[in-house]
Amino acid sequence: MYPYNRNTHYFQRQSLTAREAKDPAIAELAEDDRLLALLKVAAEETAQLANRYRRLLTEAPVLSPSADMLKSMYLDEKKHLKNLREALFLITGETPETPDESQTPSTLEVIDPKTYLEETLMQELDAADFYRNFFLAVPDGALRDLFFEIFTDKQSHANALTYLFSKYF
């Protein structure tokens, strides 16, 4: 008879739980200073992006017909700050102090909407690449979910910014 109950593959497949068992535990992630530093830099850059969206909302009148789209991206960045804070809490067990958009350095100079929008798009693309790599490297499922949500939002932001750039400039 055909061996239905046997593994007929030439290689042994690993289940997701078996792969997770080989990866370092969350407690070991808390000891990785480089990881914690990367998360803090990610939080600072997220706060800067929130500030950029706020400035695009308030200081770029040419983009005012798309204010709902910009406001949605602004609120997503605020959500990402909370997600990063939650990720740091899951890793360290302590409530971290994450930067707020008001703590980011800002200038009083008038922005050029075209250049500012283009720079924001480039930052979003860099952030999407960062979170994709981070998502693939993190062993814990809860952390993966947080980073996957941020990653997909970053991709959506890049698409929306590309649309805005092509629509207005």
Side-chain angles (χ1 to χ4, degrees), residues 49-59 74 101 106:
L49 275 170
N51 189 26
R52 288 181 85 75
Y53 286 122
R54 185 189 53 75
R55 287 192 75 188
L56 282 170
L57 269 170
T58 58
E59 300 174 23
Y74 169 73
E101 69 169 279
S106 61

Side-chain angles (χ1 to χ4, degrees), residues 57 67-77 157:
L57 269 170
D68 291 339
M69 191 180 295
L70 290 168
K71 185 176 181 183
S72 173
M73 290 187 278
Y74 169 73
L75 293 174
D76 279 346
E77 293 302 325
H157 293 179

Side-chain angles (χ1 to χ4, degrees), residues 71-138:
K71 185 176 181 183
S72 173
M73 290 187 278
Y74 169 73
L75 293 174
D76 279 346
E77 293 302 325
K78 300 289 269 184
K79 178 183 71 172
H80 297 163
L81 278 172
K82 290 179 184 177
N83 286 353
L84 287 170
R85 187 175 182 170
E86 184 178 343
L88 282 166
F89 177 78
L90 286 172
I91 292 172
T92 63
E94 300 171 358
T95 304
E97 184 175 328
T98 55
D100 192 16
E101 69 169 279
S102 61
Q103 297 173 344
T104 60
S106 61
T107 61
L108 298 176
E109 66 187 43
V110 178
I111 63 170
D112 174 32
K114 181 179 180 181
T115 307
Y116 207 70
L117 191 66
E118 185 178 9
E119 290 171 355
T120 306
L121 172 62
M122 292 303 147
Q123 284 185 351
E124 284 288 0
L125 289 172
D126 286 343
D129 187 45
F130 170 79
Y131 285 111
R132 179 184 56 84
N133 291 332
F134 214 78
F135 161 73
L136 294 172
V138 171

Side-chain angles (χ1 to χ4, degrees), residues 31-48:
E31 297 171 3
D32 189 359
D33 293 333
R34 185 170 182 258
L35 171 79
L36 297 176
L38 281 173
L39 284 174
K40 288 180 182 178
V41 168
E44 290 170 3
E45 289 180 358
T46 301
Q48 289 174 358

